[in-house]
Amino acid sequence: MTTNAIIGAGPAGLMAAEVLSQAGASVDVYDAMPSGGRKFLLAGKGGLNLTHAELFDVFVTRYGARSANVQAWLGEFGPQAVRDWAAGLGIETFVGTSSRVFPKEMKAAPLLRAWIHRLRAAGVRFHMRHRFTGWTAGGHLKFETPAGESTVEAAAVVMAMGGASWPQLGSDGAWLAALEKRGAKVAPLLPSNCGFDVRGGWSAYFRERFAGQPFKSVAIRHGDFLRQGEFVATETGVEGSLIYAASAMLRDEVLANGEATFELDLLPGRTAAQVAKEVAHPRGSRSLPSHLKSRLSLDGIKLALLHELVPAEALNDATKLAAAIKALPITVVAARPIAEAISTAGGVTFDSLDENLMVTSAPGVFCAGEMIDWEAPTGGYLLTACLASGRAAGQGVLAYRGVVASRAAQNLAR
Ligand SMILES: Cc1cc2nc3c(=O)[nH]c(=O)nc-3n(C[C@H](O)[C@H](O)[C@H](O)COP(=O)(O)OP(=O)(O)OC[C@H]3O[C@@H](n4cnc5c(N)ncnc54)[C@H](O)[C@@H]3O)c2cc1C
């Protein structure tokens, strides 16, 4: 029996392998790295956010312009299915802060161990240190291995090689050229859930004292986007969960206009009127820092940012200072490189794929996971869609092989 190949042993590829092996199909998984699921393991370092418990109708909107496409996979394997699947591997989950869902142990390693064990037991064969490099003229898969080039004949293949962030963990986007050669359209790979450089960089004073420090409980406003949360100052700009949430919008605006400006509310717990009243309160002989600390508990990195960005004349004008505290404009001029991003936007376009995730120009070649052209914020949306698309691609292979087998039987009968 000719095998079904899965290239990429991340969550999307492993899920495709699971669907195929459960149906009794022959499955060989190939990965460039010495072991699979490295990004998945890294995701578990800060607490593996597997999925999200918000209402399904809201959940699907997180995929923005691709919501309708991703919903097709999520309808088959959504947030609750992810939790049930984890439970089937002996991993209990819980709903944490802001409805994010985590394994009780928070880590990815126990889940990945149990999963790979179950796949091996179901007959899935793993081939590590096999880097896919393209197809031979005869249509076989080509791999670079420690023993030299190896070729594999597969009846169908699921490409699940991830995006291009954190390339040291295995996904480097090098698959792009091979798929384009097969006729797939690939939207440029871009950083998603990424940090940004601020215009002009930080002063040496600010950078040396505050890079790495958090802005806690602040809010960002940009057009219709308004969200409260946290982020950190970096050597060159800003990054962290609140920035990631706004990152697709900021990135697209930087690409279009060369820069993007958001407003930072340093005291979202107080109204503009309250802030204006406290700033205007007579301060006598007290310095501005001690006045802002005593009236508004504003100090540390927040105070330093005001000094960094607000001209001295405005700092001494109560009205202007109050306005800056509630809406300090921050201009970013570049997204950080994709290698530093949490995830990747762009990839194989949906119009290159059929409803079973098969590349229409390359029958028998399926795609899954982050290498498809969708993006989502952090919050468990990335892993959920990767798992769901892996499942959809696996089912697509089964449907394709069924069709191919029945065509062959009809030909024999003729
Ligand atoms: C720091 C960090 C934290 C994260 N935390 C979360 C989180 O809490 N929740 C969440 O939902 N998401 C999180 N993510 C994102 C999530 O990990 C990814 O979206 C997900 O792993 C993508 O799955 P994938 O299977 O598509 O690709 P990957 O996990 O990237 O797997 C792709 C596999 O393909 C292999 N490969 C690549 N190219 C080749 C080749 N040419 N030949 C052979 N093999 C190849 C790679 O070695 C890799 O094993 C995080 C990401 C990062 C970087």
Side-chain angles (χ1 to χ4, degrees):
M1 176 169 54
T2 319
T3 195
N4 301 288
I6 311 288
I7 311 181
L14 294 179
M15 186 53 89
E18 180 148 283
V19 169
L20 288 167
S21 61
Q22 277 172 354
S26 169
V27 185
D28 286 85
V29 175
Y30 300 87
D31 198 288
M33 300 300 280
S35 60
R38 292 194 169 202
K39 193 175 281 181
F40 187 64
L41 288 174
L42 177 73
K45 281 244 163 97
L48 183 72
N49 186 189
L50 261 183
T51 189
H52 204 287
E54 68 197 351
L55 283 176
F56 186 72
D57 288 354
V58 180
F59 189 100
V60 294
T61 64
R62 308 300 181 187
Y63 301 91
R66 307 285 182 271
S67 291
N69 304 92
V70 177
Q71 186 167 3
W73 319 329
L74 296 176
E76 291 284 312
F77 197 78
Q80 186 56 46
V82 171
R83 297 187 69 181
D84 296 343
W85 163 80
L89 286 165
I91 305 297
E92 257 191 84
T93 54
F94 72 97
V95 180
T97 47
S98 22
S99 300
R100 292 171 179 229
V101 175
F102 299 90
K104 269 206 164 142
E105 286 185 66
M106 299 300 278
K107 298 184 200 125
L111 195 157
L112 185 65
R113 241 189 336 263
W115 195 10
I116 289 184
H117 180 75
R118 186 164 81 183
L119 290 169
R120 283 191 199 282
V124 174
R125 293 170 294 273
F126 285 86
H127 310 268
M128 294 297 126
R129 297 189 166 92
H130 276 61
R131 174 172 295 282
F132 169 74
T133 55
W135 281 270
T136 64
H140 294 183
L141 302 165
K142 276 196 296 186
F143 293 96
E144 229 172 61
T145 79
E149 188 177 281
S150 136
T151 60
V152 170
E153 183 183 4
V157 55
V158 177
M159 308 256 146
M161 289 178 273
S165 76
W166 289 70
Q168 65 274 33
L169 302 179
S171 334
D172 56 9
W175 46 263
L176 201 150
L179 268 166
E180 278 184 335
K181 259 194 197 161
R182 295 294 306 269
K185 272 190 273 161
V186 183
L189 304 184
L190 298 172
S192 183
N193 295 301
C194 56
F196 290 86
D197 294 338
V198 292
R199 184 169 61 198
W202 299 125
S203 66
Y205 173 86
F206 186 87
R207 192 174 60 241
E208 279 155 23
R209 282 168 186 73
F210 296 103
Q213 287 205 25
F215 288 97
K216 285 204 171 170
S217 213
V218 290
I220 281 182
R221 194 177 307 109
H222 181 269
D224 292 341
F225 178 92
L226 173 62
R227 189 152 325 160
Q228 195 167 330
E230 296 181 9
F231 66 90
V232 293
T234 62
E235 294 278 319
T236 58
V238 288
E239 70 172 22
S241 56
L242 187 56
I243 297 294
Y244 297 160
S247 64
M249 199 170 54
L250 296 175
R251 176 203 65 215
D252 289 347
E253 195 172 320
V254 167
L255 281 176
N257 304 330
E259 61 176 43
T261 300
F262 62 84
E263 284 176 355
L264 179 63
D265 182 347
L266 292 166
L267 294 174
R270 303 197 190 222
T271 64
Q274 285 167 341
V275 170
K277 182 168 165 242
E278 295 303 332
V279 172
H281 192 273
R283 71 170 146 117
S285 60
R286 266 195 311 209
S287 66
L288 182 63
S290 70
H291 176 61
L292 292 179
K293 182 160 168 45
S294 70
R295 304 302 312 178
L296 290 165
S297 304
L298 201 153
D299 61 358
I301 191 170
K302 291 183 177 178
L303 181 66
L305 190 69
L306 287 171
H307 278 286
E308 179 81 1
L309 297 178
V310 180
E313 154 272 317
L315 282 177
N316 292 315
D317 176 319
T319 309
K320 286 182 183 163
L321 177 56
I325 291 170
K326 287 300 287 175
L328 184 61
I330 309 238
T331 300
V332 296
V333 290
R336 292 298 300 160
I338 196 165
E340 295 174 18
I342 296 289
S343 59
T344 301
V348 179
T349 60
F350 279 95
D351 60 7
S352 295
L353 301 170
D354 71 11
E355 69 283 3
N356 286 328
L357 299 186
M358 187 169 82
V359 179
T360 43
S361 59
V365 177
F366 294 75
C367 293
E370 226 183 275
M371 59 184 282
I372 301 178
D373 180 20
W374 57 275
E375 67 178 316
T378 58
Y381 307 107
L382 295 164
L383 283 173
T384 304
C386 286
L387 293 167
S389 66
R391 195 180 144 86
Q395 284 171 338
V397 170
L398 291 175
Y400 169 76
R401 300 265 342 237
V403 170
V404 172
S406 76
R407 276 207 201 117
Q410 280 166 13
N411 287 343
L412 271 182
R414 272 190 203 136

